[in-house]
Amino acid sequence: MKLKRLRQRRVSLRVRLTLTYGGLFFVAGLLLLGVTYVLFDQQLAQRGQKFLAITQTDPSGRRITVAPQPPNEARPGDRLMSADTERFLEEERDKLHDAAVTSLVTQGGLALLAVGGLSVGFGWLIAGRMLAPLHKVTDTARRIASAPAADHNLHERIALHGPNDEVKELADTFDTMVERLDRSFDGQRRFVANASHELRTPLTLGRALVEVAMHRKAASPDVIQLGETLLEINSRHERLIGGLLLLARSENEITDRAPVDLADVVGHVTAQTAREAALAEITVREEPGEALTSGDALLLERLVQNLVENGIRHNSGPGGWVEVTSRAGDGHVELTVSNSGPAVPPYEIPALFEPFHRFDSDRLVTAKGAGLGLSIVRSIVGAHSGRIAASPRPGGGLVVTVTLPACPPGARETLRPDRQIEIIRS
């Protein structure tokens, strides 16, 4: 735990640059102080001129010592100082050497610390000024990344002004990237808006023409059978287009959230799929526990419906079962859908959530779905900031668990009865 906390405590670039500036200054200062000390010590260690003590004889016959003179001024009859005088001068020289070295090291060290502290302070200010444009880039990127939907806030730009250096080049490149993303998302929004009308209109018109032809009095049995086949193909295309549009819509994070109880959604979906389950002789069991979350009610309904239909259609046949449960946890809600069926290898599970992928390829032509059910489920879960996990059952089949954030306590009172009625009647 401590190691994890230490890893989370990052040292900012400004601190690292300041420490680098200060460290280099202190290293250079210590080297300079060291070189000065060595040269100063060598200079003091050199022996100076040896002085002589000049002695003379006074009229009474006594020898007296005259003031010392340098050796080059000595005259015949002069002699060197006594041993005591030599020792005294040596001690004085040592004291002078120690005092000079101590003064150099102490005062030089204090001066180095003082100037080093000033250099660290100036380094902190300079690093902050140099990194200010990077903070602007980071703040803009953070606002774009924290938007409730992926295509929001893409209109923001850094628009950095200053010298044409590496930081400005980075900011301009970021602005160019965001601009291209904005155009891409704008094109996607226009496509989704137009595709709903442009793709469904011909299918609706084709369905109407086939139904008119089938209900004519002169329609032969062959025409009626052909019409039923065309209606089935048309219905499959409608489901495919609807699934693609829903998948594109669910890729974005939900911005308009409302409280939703998954227990109501589970009860509504099991009632909707009861007829299909009865035709397939599949038993659907439900345990709807209160599970309040917030999000788009229609998308959450489609999430549960896709999981239940997937369990019914990919089951072991007559006598199979599907179980749907919902419950509330600590700060989250869980939806679990499990079903009997053929054994699913664990390595196949991630691919089941990819578009147009089915575990049993033989069902590709006759399947009622379009191969987008679990892909839509994964996108809806991601749009609601949730998690999804799937695992194979020991006896065959699949267990899918969806975890969503719980509804905030302050928003639970806003769960409107009319919203529940809308879910049930949809």
Side-chain angles (χ1 to χ4, degrees), residues 186-384:
D186 187 58
Q188 183 184 17
R189 284 192 296 267
R190 289 197 302 268
F191 169 77
V192 172
N194 296 331
S196 178
H197 174 74
E198 296 297 334
L199 295 179
R200 286 178 176 174
T201 300
L203 293 177
T204 303
L205 180 60
R207 171 180 287 276
L209 293 176
V210 171
E211 289 177 347
V212 169
M214 289 176 59
H215 289 84
R216 287 180 178 176
K217 295 181 179 180
S220 64
D222 293 338
V223 172
I224 295 176
Q225 183 178 1
L226 176 61
E228 292 176 351
T229 303
L230 292 176
L231 287 178
E232 181 64 27
I233 296 175
N234 193 85
S235 178
R236 177 177 174 80
H237 289 165
E238 288 178 349
R239 288 195 298 271
L240 175 60
I241 293 173
L244 288 173
L245 294 176
L246 181 60
L247 182 61
R249 175 190 171 193
S250 60
E251 288 289 341
N252 298 328
E253 188 171 348
I254 305 302
T255 55
D256 186 15
R257 293 175 177 264
V260 180
D261 191 352
L262 292 183
D264 298 333
V265 180
V266 168
H268 173 55
V269 170
T270 52
Q272 268 192 335
T273 56
R275 183 173 180 274
E276 182 179 356
L279 292 176
E281 300 183 17
I282 303 295
T283 303
V284 179
R285 301 192 295 264
E286 57 174 308
E287 295 182 12
E290 181 179 356
L292 284 174
T293 185
S294 62
D296 189 298
L298 296 179
L299 289 180
L300 291 174
E301 179 188 353
R302 177 55 67 93
L303 182 151
V304 180
Q305 183 175 354
N306 283 6
L307 289 177
V308 174
E309 289 179 349
N310 184 78
I312 294 174
R313 296 170 184 175
H314 300 278
N315 215 299
S316 55
W321 55 268
V322 177
E323 185 174 271
V324 189
T325 63
S326 62
R327 69 179 187 88
D330 186 12
H332 66 276
V333 296
E334 281 188 1
L335 172 74
T336 303
V337 180
S338 56
N339 62 276
S340 59
V344 181
Y347 59 84
E348 282 282 354
I349 290 179
L352 295 178
F353 292 90
E354 298 298 328
F356 305 108
H357 183 89
R358 296 179 179 84
F359 170 61
D360 188 355
S361 59
D362 294 337
R363 302 182 185 182
L364 182 60
V365 178
T366 59
K368 296 181 180 180
L372 295 172
L374 293 182
S375 301
I376 294 174
V377 168
R378 183 182 63 179
S379 297
I380 294 175
V381 171
H384 287 80

